[in-house]
Amino acid sequence: MKQLLIVDDLPAARSLLQNAALAAFPESSCQLAESLRAGLQAIQQVKYDLALVDLALGDGHGTELIRELSAQQPQCTVVVASVMGDDENLFQALQAGAQGYLLKDHTQEELAFQLAGIAKGHLPLSPAIARKLMKFFQPKTDVQKGIEQSGLSQRELEVLGCLAKGIRMADIAAQLKISHHTVGDHVKNIYRKLNINSRAEAAIKAQGFGLL
C-alpha cells in the first residue's frame, strides 16, 4: 500500500484513521479529505491503493465516492470507516463497491490490525458487521419469512407490536414520536395487509411474528 486516502469530515476521526493507516502501512503516503467534494477531486489526481471513507459527510453520502472509486480505480481497496453500522448503510455501501466496513468505536491499534490484514488478503470487517452479514446470509426462519411475506414495514411492525400489547393510539403516537394521524394510517395499512379487523387478530399476528 503506497497511496492512501482518508475521507472524513471530523478532524479527530481523520487523525485516528490516519494514525491507524500509517501504523499498518508505515511507508505509505496518506492524503486527507474533509468532504465528499474533496474526496471526489482527490481521486481525479492520484491513483490510490486504499481508501477509508466515512459515510455521513457534511456535503453528501460517502457511497457516492465509493461508487466513483470502484468505477475509476478498481485496483483500490475501499473500506468504510463509520459510526453507522445499521443494515441500510451497510448494504448500501457494499452495493456501491466497499470491500470492508470498520466501525470507528475501535481503538487505533484495533483499526491498524484490521487494516494490516489487507496485505494478507483479509478484508477488514468489524466483528459487529461480520455478525450482521452472517445473519443476513443464514437461512431465514419461518417467522422471518412470515414477516417478509406480510409486506409490513419496520414502522408498521412497531405499531403492530404496540397494538397487540393493548397500548392506546395516543400512547403509541407518543412512544414512537409520530402523530396520531400517522398511527391511524399505519393501523389501516396493517389491517389491510394482514387481512384482519380487530386488535385481537392483531395480537395473534404479532405473537406469530415474535413481537410479544
Side-chain angles (χ1 to χ4, degrees):
M1 297 290 174
K2 294 184 178 181
Q3 295 290 341
L4 312 181
L5 173 65
I6 294 173
V7 185
D8 198 300
D9 59 350
L10 298 177
R14 288 198 302 274
S15 178
L16 170 66
L17 295 174
Q18 180 182 29
N19 291 337
L22 291 177
F25 308 107
E27 298 182 0
S28 297
S29 174
C30 188
Q31 182 172 347
L32 305 179
E34 61 184 16
S35 66
L36 173 61
R37 180 180 179 183
L40 290 170
Q41 290 175 340
I43 66 173
Q44 302 303 322
Q45 301 167 0
V46 178
K47 296 294 183 183
Y48 293 100
D49 300 300
L50 171 65
L52 303 180
V53 181
D54 189 17
L55 296 181
L57 300 171
D59 59 344
H61 201 274
T63 49
E64 183 177 341
L65 176 60
I66 294 171
R67 194 172 293 109
E68 289 298 320
L69 264 170
S70 300
Q72 297 182 27
Q73 302 189 23
Q75 83 290 346
C76 180
T77 299
V78 185
V79 177
V80 170
S82 176
V83 296
M84 301 185 297
D86 58 284
D87 289 354
E88 182 177 356
N89 279 293
L90 169 60
F91 290 106
Q92 188 176 352
L94 294 179
Q95 288 170 351
Q99 297 158 281
Y101 202 113
L102 295 175
L103 298 177
K104 289 189 289 189
D105 57 0
H106 293 300
T107 65
Q108 177 183 312
E109 290 74 19
E110 290 170 335
L111 289 170
F113 176 79
Q114 287 277 359
L115 293 174
I118 296 174
K120 301 176 183 178
H122 303 154
L123 295 180
L125 290 172
S126 291
I129 297 300
R131 287 193 293 270
K132 279 181 177 287
L133 291 173
M134 289 293 292
K135 184 177 180 181
F136 179 80
F137 288 107
Q138 287 174 348
K140 292 182 172 60
T141 65
D142 290 340
V143 170
Q144 290 172 318
K145 290 179 181 177
I147 291 175
E148 290 184 358
Q149 291 171 357
S150 72
L152 296 181
S153 67
Q154 184 59 43
R155 179 63 85 187
E156 288 166 349
L157 287 169
E158 292 173 354
V159 172
L160 175 60
C162 291
L163 284 175
K165 294 172 185 175
I167 301 175
R168 297 182 307 163
M169 300 274 279
D171 293 333
I172 294 175
Q175 181 173 319
L176 299 181
K177 297 181 180 180
I178 56 179
S179 71
H180 185 276
H181 295 297
T182 301
V183 173
D185 289 339
H186 284 317
V187 171
K188 290 177 183 176
N189 288 334
I190 291 168
Y191 279 25
R192 175 179 56 80
K193 290 179 180 180
L194 298 181
N195 193 26
I196 59 177
N197 298 291
S198 68
R199 278 194 181 234
E201 290 178 294
I204 293 173
K205 289 290 187 179
Q207 181 69 42
F209 290 160
L211 301 178
L212 295 178

